[in-house]
Amino acid sequence: MLNPKKLEMSFKRYSNNFVKGIKFEDVVEKYEISKSKINNIVNLNDIEKDHILLINLNNISSYYLSKWKNEVLINGGVSSDGLKTMQIVVFYQCMAHELYQIKYPKMFLSYSFAEAIKALMHFTMFGWKKEEKILFDFIVRHFGKHLMDANNWNKHTWFLLELYLQYRNKTIVGTNQKLHITVREQFKKSDLEYDLIPEDLDIYSEVLENWATPQLDEIKTLIDKMSVFHSNLASELGESIEFGDYRYGFYPYEILFLIHVREKIGLPVPDHFNDLLMNTPEAKMTIDDPEPYPEWDPLLRKIDIFYRKNYPDYIPNKHGELFQ
Protein backbone atom coordinates (compact mmCIF):
# COMPACT_ATOMS: atom_id res chain seq x y z
CA MET A 1 0.00 0.00 0.00
CA LEU A 2 1.32 3.42 -0.96
CA ASN A 3 2.44 5.64 1.90
CA PRO A 4 1.81 9.25 0.71
CA LYS A 5 3.91 10.83 3.46
CA LYS A 6 6.87 8.59 2.71
CA LEU A 7 6.51 9.37 -0.99
CA GLU A 8 6.50 13.13 -0.35
CA MET A 9 9.60 12.87 1.84
CA SER A 10 11.39 10.88 -0.86
CA PHE A 11 10.46 13.49 -3.45
CA LYS A 12 11.91 16.23 -1.24
CA ARG A 13 15.17 14.29 -0.91
CA TYR A 14 15.12 13.70 -4.68
CA SER A 15 14.83 17.44 -5.33
CA ASN A 16 17.25 18.56 -2.61
CA ASN A 17 19.90 16.22 -3.97
CA PHE A 18 20.49 18.69 -6.80
CA VAL A 19 20.62 21.67 -4.45
CA LYS A 20 22.47 20.45 -1.37
CA GLY A 21 23.99 17.23 -2.66
CA ILE A 22 25.23 17.36 -6.24
CA LYS A 23 26.16 21.02 -6.54
CA PHE A 24 26.15 22.46 -10.04
CA GLU A 25 29.47 24.24 -9.58
CA ASP A 26 31.14 20.88 -8.81
CA VAL A 27 29.65 19.36 -11.95
CA VAL A 28 30.86 22.34 -14.00
CA GLU A 29 34.36 21.87 -12.60
CA LYS A 30 34.42 18.22 -13.73
CA TYR A 31 33.11 19.30 -17.13
CA GLU A 32 35.97 21.80 -17.47
CA ILE A 33 38.50 19.10 -16.54
CA SER A 34 37.02 16.90 -19.26
CA LYS A 35 37.23 19.84 -21.65
CA SER A 36 40.97 20.08 -21.11
CA LYS A 37 41.49 16.34 -21.65
CA ILE A 38 39.30 16.21 -24.75
CA ASN A 39 40.91 19.25 -26.33
CA ASN A 40 44.38 17.82 -25.72
CA ILE A 41 43.57 14.48 -27.40
CA VAL A 42 41.71 16.07 -30.30
CA ASN A 43 44.37 18.72 -30.97
CA LEU A 44 47.13 16.08 -30.99
CA ASN A 45 44.93 13.59 -32.86
CA ASP A 46 46.13 11.10 -30.22
CA ILE A 47 44.57 7.82 -31.37
CA GLU A 48 46.45 5.84 -28.71
CA LYS A 49 44.59 7.66 -25.96
CA ASP A 50 41.28 8.30 -27.66
CA HIS A 51 39.39 5.87 -25.39
CA ILE A 52 39.65 8.72 -22.87
CA LEU A 53 37.19 10.61 -25.06
CA LEU A 54 34.67 7.85 -24.49
CA ILE A 55 35.29 7.84 -20.75
CA ASN A 56 34.71 11.59 -20.55
CA LEU A 57 31.30 11.35 -22.17
CA ASN A 58 30.07 10.51 -18.67
CA ASN A 59 31.04 13.97 -17.41
CA ILE A 60 29.22 15.57 -20.34
CA SER A 61 26.11 13.58 -19.44
CA SER A 62 26.41 14.56 -15.76
CA TYR A 63 26.68 18.21 -16.74
CA TYR A 64 23.41 18.06 -18.69
CA LEU A 65 21.75 16.02 -15.97
CA SER A 66 22.38 18.88 -13.56
CA LYS A 67 21.26 21.45 -16.13
CA TRP A 68 18.03 19.52 -16.69
CA LYS A 69 17.36 19.19 -12.95
CA ASN A 70 18.08 22.87 -12.32
CA GLU A 71 15.89 24.01 -15.20
CA VAL A 72 12.90 21.73 -14.60
CA LEU A 73 12.97 20.22 -11.12
CA ILE A 74 14.42 23.15 -9.16
CA ASN A 75 13.36 26.23 -11.14
CA GLY A 76 10.04 24.98 -12.51
CA GLY A 77 10.89 25.31 -16.20
CA VAL A 78 9.44 23.07 -18.92
CA SER A 79 12.38 22.70 -21.32
CA SER A 80 13.62 19.17 -21.98
CA ASP A 81 16.92 20.24 -23.61
CA GLY A 82 19.15 18.88 -20.84
CA LEU A 83 17.30 15.57 -20.91
CA LYS A 84 17.60 15.44 -24.70
CA THR A 85 21.37 15.93 -24.59
CA MET A 86 21.66 13.17 -21.98
CA GLN A 87 19.96 10.72 -24.35
CA ILE A 88 22.18 11.86 -27.22
CA VAL A 89 25.25 11.13 -25.09
CA VAL A 90 24.00 7.56 -24.52
CA PHE A 91 23.69 7.21 -28.30
CA TYR A 92 27.30 8.25 -28.81
CA GLN A 93 28.51 6.04 -25.99
CA CYS A 94 26.98 3.11 -27.88
CA MET A 95 28.47 4.21 -31.19
CA ALA A 96 31.95 4.75 -29.72
CA HIS A 97 32.08 1.52 -27.73
CA GLU A 98 31.64 -0.46 -30.94
CA LEU A 99 34.98 0.94 -32.13
CA TYR A 100 36.87 -0.65 -29.24
CA GLN A 101 35.58 -4.22 -29.50
CA ILE A 102 38.89 -5.55 -30.79
CA LYS A 103 41.28 -3.22 -28.98
CA TYR A 104 39.49 -3.43 -25.62
CA PRO A 105 37.05 -6.39 -25.88
CA LYS A 106 36.22 -6.36 -22.16
CA MET A 107 36.11 -2.61 -21.73
CA PHE A 108 33.69 -1.54 -18.99
CA LEU A 109 30.58 -0.07 -20.60
CA SER A 110 29.71 3.54 -19.88
CA TYR A 111 26.01 2.82 -20.48
CA SER A 112 23.64 0.00 -19.55
CA PHE A 113 20.95 -1.95 -21.38
CA ALA A 114 18.34 0.04 -19.45
CA GLU A 115 19.92 3.36 -20.48
CA ALA A 116 20.01 2.33 -24.14
CA ILE A 117 16.31 1.44 -24.03
CA LYS A 118 15.53 4.75 -22.32
CA ALA A 119 17.35 6.59 -25.10
CA LEU A 120 15.46 4.61 -27.75
CA MET A 121 12.17 5.41 -26.06
CA HIS A 122 13.01 9.11 -25.82
CA PHE A 123 14.09 9.31 -29.46
CA THR A 124 10.70 7.82 -30.33
CA MET A 125 8.85 10.35 -28.18
CA PHE A 126 10.92 13.20 -29.64
CA GLY A 127 10.12 12.09 -33.19
CA TRP A 128 13.81 11.61 -34.11
CA LYS A 129 13.17 8.75 -36.53
CA LYS A 130 16.60 8.63 -38.16
CA GLU A 131 18.48 8.35 -34.87
CA GLU A 132 15.84 6.01 -33.45
CA LYS A 133 16.41 3.54 -36.29
CA ILE A 134 20.21 3.68 -35.93
CA LEU A 135 20.00 3.01 -32.20
CA PHE A 136 17.44 0.22 -32.60
CA ASP A 137 19.63 -1.49 -35.20
CA PHE A 138 22.56 -1.24 -32.79
CA ILE A 139 20.52 -2.80 -30.00
CA VAL A 140 19.40 -5.70 -32.21
CA ARG A 141 22.87 -6.28 -33.64
CA HIS A 142 24.49 -6.57 -30.22
CA PHE A 143 21.55 -7.94 -28.23
CA GLY A 144 22.77 -10.35 -25.55
CA LYS A 145 26.41 -9.64 -26.30
CA HIS A 146 28.92 -7.48 -24.43
CA LEU A 147 27.75 -4.19 -25.94
CA MET A 148 24.08 -4.89 -25.15
CA ASP A 149 24.07 -7.05 -22.06
CA ALA A 150 20.35 -7.76 -21.63
CA ASN A 151 20.69 -9.66 -18.35
CA ASN A 152 18.82 -6.82 -16.67
CA TRP A 153 16.42 -6.84 -13.72
CA ASN A 154 14.36 -3.71 -14.44
CA LYS A 155 10.80 -4.77 -15.16
CA HIS A 156 9.84 -1.41 -16.61
CA THR A 157 12.74 -1.65 -19.09
CA TRP A 158 11.35 -4.89 -20.50
CA PHE A 159 7.93 -3.28 -20.59
CA LEU A 160 9.26 -0.31 -22.55
CA LEU A 161 11.10 -2.47 -25.05
CA GLU A 162 8.13 -4.77 -25.66
CA LEU A 163 5.72 -1.85 -26.00
CA TYR A 164 8.12 -0.23 -28.45
CA LEU A 165 8.33 -3.42 -30.50
CA GLN A 166 4.56 -3.78 -30.65
CA TYR A 167 4.09 -0.11 -31.52
CA ARG A 168 6.69 -0.22 -34.29
CA ASN A 169 5.71 -3.73 -35.41
CA LYS A 170 9.25 -5.00 -34.89
CA THR A 171 10.72 -8.02 -33.13
CA ILE A 172 13.78 -9.06 -31.16
CA VAL A 173 14.77 -12.73 -30.94
CA GLY A 174 11.77 -13.37 -33.19
CA THR A 175 9.03 -11.97 -30.98
CA ASN A 176 7.37 -8.90 -29.50
CA GLN A 177 5.17 -10.85 -27.08
CA LYS A 178 6.30 -11.81 -23.56
CA LEU A 179 9.77 -10.79 -24.63
CA HIS A 180 11.42 -11.24 -21.23
CA ILE A 181 10.34 -14.89 -21.06
CA THR A 182 11.57 -15.68 -24.57
CA VAL A 183 14.89 -13.96 -23.90
CA ARG A 184 15.37 -15.85 -20.62
CA GLU A 185 14.76 -19.15 -22.40
CA GLN A 186 17.02 -18.34 -25.34
CA PHE A 187 19.83 -17.05 -23.15
CA LYS A 188 19.62 -20.16 -20.99
CA LYS A 189 19.88 -22.42 -24.05
CA SER A 190 22.78 -20.34 -25.40
CA ASP A 191 24.63 -20.46 -22.06
CA LEU A 192 24.33 -16.68 -21.66
CA GLU A 193 23.70 -15.03 -18.32
CA TYR A 194 19.97 -14.66 -17.74
CA ASP A 195 19.45 -14.87 -13.98
CA LEU A 196 18.63 -11.18 -13.53
CA ILE A 197 15.92 -11.07 -16.21
CA PRO A 198 12.57 -10.96 -14.38
CA GLU A 199 10.25 -13.96 -14.64
CA ASP A 200 7.21 -11.69 -14.35
CA LEU A 201 6.60 -8.00 -15.00
CA ASP A 202 3.95 -7.33 -12.32
CA ILE A 203 1.54 -4.63 -13.47
CA TYR A 204 3.38 -4.26 -16.77
CA SER A 205 2.19 -7.67 -17.96
CA GLU A 206 -1.42 -6.54 -17.57
CA VAL A 207 -0.66 -3.28 -19.34
CA LEU A 208 1.02 -5.02 -22.27
CA GLU A 209 -2.03 -7.20 -22.74
CA ASN A 210 -4.39 -4.22 -22.75
CA TRP A 211 -2.39 -1.14 -23.75
CA ALA A 212 -4.34 -0.72 -27.01
CA THR A 213 -7.77 -0.82 -25.39
CA PRO A 214 -10.15 1.77 -26.87
CA GLN A 215 -11.70 2.27 -23.44
CA LEU A 216 -10.51 5.42 -21.64
CA ASP A 217 -11.61 4.17 -18.22
CA GLU A 218 -9.64 0.95 -18.67
CA ILE A 219 -6.40 2.66 -19.64
CA LYS A 220 -6.86 5.20 -16.82
CA THR A 221 -7.12 2.32 -14.32
CA LEU A 222 -3.97 0.70 -15.73
CA ILE A 223 -2.04 3.96 -15.61
CA ASP A 224 -3.12 4.48 -12.01
CA LYS A 225 -1.77 1.02 -11.16
CA MET A 226 1.50 1.81 -12.94
CA SER A 227 1.79 5.04 -10.99
CA VAL A 228 1.28 3.25 -7.67
CA PHE A 229 3.89 0.64 -8.62
CA HIS A 230 6.39 3.34 -9.61
CA SER A 231 5.60 5.50 -6.59
CA ASN A 232 6.07 2.67 -4.11
CA LEU A 233 9.54 2.02 -5.50
CA ALA A 234 10.42 5.71 -5.72
CA SER A 235 9.54 5.91 -2.03
CA GLU A 236 12.55 3.66 -1.46
CA LEU A 237 14.89 6.29 -2.90
CA GLY A 238 18.48 5.10 -2.83
CA GLU A 239 17.43 1.52 -2.11
CA SER A 240 15.08 0.32 -4.84
CA ILE A 241 16.85 -0.94 -7.96
CA GLU A 242 13.83 -0.20 -10.14
CA PHE A 243 12.97 3.45 -9.49
CA GLY A 244 15.17 4.34 -6.54
CA ASP A 245 17.74 6.47 -8.37
CA TYR A 246 18.17 10.24 -8.30
CA ARG A 247 18.26 10.66 -12.06
CA TYR A 248 14.86 9.25 -13.02
CA GLY A 249 13.17 8.20 -9.76
CA PHE A 250 10.30 10.69 -9.99
CA TYR A 251 10.23 11.01 -13.76
CA PRO A 252 7.46 8.61 -14.95
CA TYR A 253 8.87 8.09 -18.43
CA GLU A 254 7.35 4.62 -18.83
CA ILE A 255 3.87 6.08 -18.31
CA LEU A 256 4.58 9.05 -20.56
CA PHE A 257 5.76 6.68 -23.29
CA LEU A 258 2.54 4.66 -23.02
CA ILE A 259 0.52 7.86 -23.32
CA HIS A 260 2.63 8.96 -26.31
CA VAL A 261 2.14 5.66 -28.13
CA ARG A 262 -1.62 5.71 -27.59
CA GLU A 263 -1.87 9.30 -28.79
CA LYS A 264 0.12 8.47 -31.94
CA ILE A 265 -2.34 5.75 -32.94
CA GLY A 266 -5.40 7.80 -32.08
CA LEU A 267 -6.45 6.16 -28.80
CA PRO A 268 -7.86 8.20 -25.90
CA VAL A 269 -5.67 9.12 -22.92
CA PRO A 270 -6.47 10.79 -19.61
CA ASP A 271 -6.15 14.58 -19.67
CA HIS A 272 -5.25 14.97 -16.00
CA PHE A 273 -3.97 13.03 -13.00
CA ASN A 274 -4.35 13.58 -9.27
CA ASP A 275 -1.32 11.71 -7.94
CA LEU A 276 2.07 13.18 -7.03
CA LEU A 277 4.12 11.20 -9.55
CA MET A 278 2.18 12.35 -12.60
CA ASN A 279 2.32 15.96 -11.40
CA THR A 280 6.04 16.30 -10.77
CA PRO A 281 7.83 19.02 -12.78
CA GLU A 282 9.50 16.33 -14.91
CA ALA A 283 6.17 14.70 -15.71
CA LYS A 284 4.90 18.11 -16.84
CA MET A 285 7.74 18.91 -19.23
CA THR A 286 6.78 20.21 -22.63
CA ILE A 287 7.59 17.70 -25.38
CA ASP A 288 6.60 18.70 -28.90
CA ASP A 289 5.97 16.32 -31.79
CA PRO A 290 8.51 16.38 -33.26
CA GLU A 291 10.82 17.84 -30.65
CA PRO A 292 13.57 20.12 -32.04
CA TYR A 293 17.12 18.92 -31.59
CA PRO A 294 19.03 20.71 -28.83
CA GLU A 295 22.09 22.82 -29.53
CA TRP A 296 25.14 20.59 -29.82
CA ASP A 297 27.43 20.41 -26.82
CA PRO A 298 30.83 21.64 -28.13
CA LEU A 299 32.78 18.80 -26.48
CA LEU A 300 30.42 16.15 -27.82
CA ARG A 301 30.76 17.70 -31.27
CA LYS A 302 34.56 17.51 -31.07
CA ILE A 303 34.41 13.85 -30.04
CA ASP A 304 32.05 12.99 -32.89
CA ILE A 305 34.24 14.79 -35.44
CA PHE A 306 37.35 13.02 -34.08
CA TYR A 307 35.80 9.57 -34.43
CA ARG A 308 34.40 10.36 -37.87
CA LYS A 309 37.87 11.45 -39.00
CA ASN A 310 39.86 8.52 -37.60
CA TYR A 311 37.47 5.57 -37.85
CA PRO A 312 35.84 4.87 -41.25
CA ASP A 313 33.68 2.15 -39.62
CA TYR A 314 32.26 4.56 -37.06
CA ILE A 315 28.50 4.09 -37.43
CA PRO A 316 27.56 7.79 -37.81
CA ASN A 317 29.85 7.97 -40.87
CA LYS A 318 27.31 5.77 -42.66
CA HIS A 319 24.39 8.09 -41.98
CA GLY A 320 25.64 11.62 -42.60
CA GLU A 321 24.79 14.42 -40.20
CA LEU A 322 22.78 13.47 -37.14
CA PHE A 323 20.77 15.35 -34.53
CA GLN A 324 20.18 18.41 -36.66
Side-chain angles (χ1 to χ4, degrees):
M1 185 175 180
L2 182 62
N3 184 328
K5 185 175 181 180
K6 185 177 181 180
L7 182 66
E8 290 176 6
M9 290 177 63
S10 290
F11 181 66
K12 287 181 180 178
R13 286 198 292 124
Y14 177 78
S15 300
N16 286 338
N17 180 61
F18 290 91
V19 178
K20 301 177 181 178
I22 301 175
K23 296 181 179 179
F24 188 58
E25 54 266 31
D26 294 336
V27 177
V28 171
E29 182 179 352
K30 290 182 179 179
Y31 180 88
E32 290 299 319
I33 292 173
S34 289
K35 181 177 180 180
S36 177
K37 293 178 180 178
I38 291 168
N39 284 336
N40 186 53
I41 291 171
V42 169
N43 292 338
L44 295 175
N45 201 39
D46 193 347
I47 298 176
E48 293 302 315
K49 295 181 179 179
D50 62 17
H51 61 282
I52 295 174
L53 299 177
L54 173 54
I55 294 171
N56 278 274
L57 283 173
N58 279 325
N59 286 337
I60 297 175
S61 181
S62 295
Y63 174 73
Y64 284 95
L65 169 64
S66 286
K67 289 195 72 172
W68 172 43
K69 295 297 184 178
N70 275 277
E71 163 67 19
V72 175
L73 184 62
I74 308 304
N75 297 320
V78 294
S79 171
S80 60
D81 278 359
L83 174 66
K84 287 188 288 189
T85 301
M86 287 170 60
Q87 308 310 317
I88 293 172
V89 170
V90 173
F91 176 91
Y92 281 103
Q93 286 173 325
C94 292
M95 301 302 107
H97 266 290
E98 190 173 79
L99 299 174
Y100 297 101
Q101 290 183 96
I102 296 176
K103 189 175 181 180
Y104 302 114
K106 296 183 179 180
M107 186 178 187
F108 182 78
L109 296 181
S110 52
Y111 62 91
S112 67
F113 173 68
E115 288 170 332
I117 301 306
K118 274 195 280 282
L120 178 69
M121 176 271 296
H122 278 97
F123 287 2
T124 307
M125 290 177 65
F126 296 154
W128 299 349
K129 292 183 178 180
K130 183 176 182 179
E131 293 81 8
E132 174 198 333
K133 183 180 185 305
I134 296 169
L135 182 56
F136 178 73
D137 290 345
F138 176 91
I139 291 169
V140 172
R141 186 164 62 253
H142 295 287
F143 193 79
K145 303 172 186 176
H146 176 61
L147 296 187
M148 196 52 57
D149 180 3
N151 185 31
N152 189 278
W153 55 75
N154 284 300
K155 296 180 179 182
H156 75 279
T157 299
W158 290 100
F159 161 75
L160 284 169
L161 180 54
E162 185 166 327
L163 179 58
Y164 171 83
L165 293 174
Q166 292 181 18
Y167 169 54
R168 289 298 195 208
N169 194 27
K170 295 178 181 292
T171 62
I172 286 181
V173 296
T175 188
N176 59 16
Q177 304 284 333
K178 301 186 185 303
L179 179 67
H180 62 294
I181 295 176
T182 300
V183 172
R184 275 184 64 93
E185 293 173 349
Q186 289 205 12
F187 281 15
K188 186 176 182 179
K189 290 177 182 177
S190 302
D191 201 27
L192 296 173
E193 292 186 359
Y194 67 92
D195 55 305
L196 298 180
I197 300 174
E199 297 185 52
D200 70 85
L201 299 184
D202 285 310
I203 177 56
Y204 300 123
S205 292
E206 184 180 356
V207 178
L208 286 168
E209 291 174 1
N210 300 282
W211 71 267
T213 175
Q215 302 300 321
L216 179 59
D217 288 346
E218 186 174 359
I219 200 63
K220 175 66 165 62
T221 297
L222 290 173
I223 289 175
D224 287 344
K225 289 181 180 180
M226 291 174 70
S227 182
V228 170
F229 180 80
H230 186 135
S231 297
N232 270 318
L233 293 170
S235 296
E236 305 294 336
L237 198 65
E239 299 178 19
S240 166
I241 60 175
E242 188 91 24
F243 290 115
D245 69 284
Y246 285 87
R247 286 185 300 172
Y248 298 108
F250 280 87
Y251 171 42
Y253 49 91
E254 81 285 11
I255 299 175
L256 297 177
F257 184 62
L258 171 63
I259 291 172
H260 169 82
V261 166
R262 284 182 58 87
E263 287 181 328
K264 292 298 285 186
I265 61 177
L267 292 172
V269 297
D271 58 6
H272 71 278
F273 299 93
N274 298 319
D275 57 304
L276 185 152
L277 181 68
M278 294 302 293
N279 285 284
T280 62
E282 292 161 348
K284 294 293 188 178
M285 279 187 307
T286 300
I287 296 180
D288 293 327
D289 184 16
E291 182 70 22
Y293 295 113
E295 183 178 345
W296 267 82
D297 173 79
L299 300 185
L300 182 59
R301 174 70 86 182
K302 286 186 177 183
I303 292 172
D304 180 46
I305 292 173
F306 179 94
Y307 283 132
R308 284 178 182 267
K309 172 185 174 182
N310 290 290
Y311 292 91
D313 292 334
Y314 178 55
I315 294 172
N317 275 336
K318 305 172 186 178
H319 300 280
E321 295 295 330
L322 300 173
F323 299 105
Q324 62 180 31

